[in-house]
Amino acid sequence: LARSGRLRPRSVSQAKPGLYKLHIGFKVMPSIPLWSKALIALAILAIVAVVVQSQRQNANQEAWALLASPEVQGGAPEALENARERTRGTAAAPHLSWRLAFNLFEAGGAENFERARQVAQETVEQNPDHVVSGPLRDLIAAIDSYEVAPQQDA
C-alpha cells in the first residue's frame, strides 16, 4: 500500500486540527475545548477523592479492629504503645491513648506516671473536644496531685 501512494506519512505541519501536534512546549493534550479539559480534571479529582476517602475508611476500620483485639484487650503497656503508633491519625487513636494512659497509671511508679501524664497531655492537646479528653484531664490532675502530695508532707 505504501508503494501505491495511498499511505503516506504526514508531517507535523499537515496534522489535522484536533490531533496531537508537536510544538516547542510539547502540548500534553490535543486541541480540546476548555470545558472538556475542565471536565476531565474534575473527574480525576473526584476519583482521587474517592480513593483517599476509601483508604481513610479502611484505616479507621483496621484501627477499631485493633482496639478490640486480644493483644490490646490484655492491656499490656507495650502492646498498647504499639497499637497507638499503628493507629495514629484514626478515630480510634484517642481511645487507645486513653487506655494506655490509665493502664500506665494503674501500673504505678514514677516512670509510668510520667509517661501516663505525657500520653494524656498529648491526647488532650490533639483532641480537646473528644469524649476521652475529660477523663484524661482528670487523670492529669490526679497525677499532679499525687506528685505534689509527697512534697507537702516532707
Side-chain angles (χ1 to χ4, degrees):
L1 288 172
R3 290 184 188 172
S4 66
R6 285 194 238 168
L7 289 177
R8 281 185 273 166
R10 292 183 178 189
S11 68
V12 174
S13 62
Q14 294 175 338
K16 292 182 182 177
L19 296 177
Y20 290 95
K21 298 178 185 177
L22 292 176
H23 294 283
I24 294 175
F26 295 106
K27 282 189 175 181
V28 177
M29 296 182 78
S31 302
I32 296 178
L34 183 59
W35 65 269
S36 296
K37 291 178 184 179
L39 188 62
I40 291 170
L42 186 62
I44 290 171
L45 285 174
I47 290 170
V48 168
V50 167
V51 168
V52 167
Q53 178 64 24
S54 174
Q55 288 177 343
R56 257 193 212 137
Q57 190 175 19
N58 287 341
N60 276 329
Q61 287 175 349
E62 289 173 7
W64 286 112
L66 183 61
L67 182 62
S69 70
E71 71 179 46
V72 171
Q73 290 297 323
E78 297 81 25
L80 289 170
E81 285 278 1
N82 291 336
R84 182 174 177 248
E85 289 301 316
R86 291 181 8 209
T87 61
R88 195 170 292 276
T90 65
H95 296 279
L96 277 165
S97 296
W98 173 80
R99 180 168 286 189
L100 173 62
F102 274 93
N103 284 6
L104 287 167
F105 180 75
E106 289 175 353
E111 289 179 11
N112 288 335
F113 282 177
E114 184 57 37
R115 181 66 183 135
R117 188 182 196 300
Q118 180 185 8
V119 168
Q121 191 66 41
E122 282 178 16
T123 305
V124 168
E125 288 172 1
Q126 292 172 358
N127 308 289
D129 297 329
H130 197 276
V131 69
V132 299
S133 292
L136 287 174
R137 284 187 191 99
D138 295 341
L139 178 66
I140 292 169
I143 292 171
D144 290 345
S145 69
Y146 180 78
E147 291 176 352
V148 170
Q151 293 174 355
Q152 291 174 352
D153 292 336

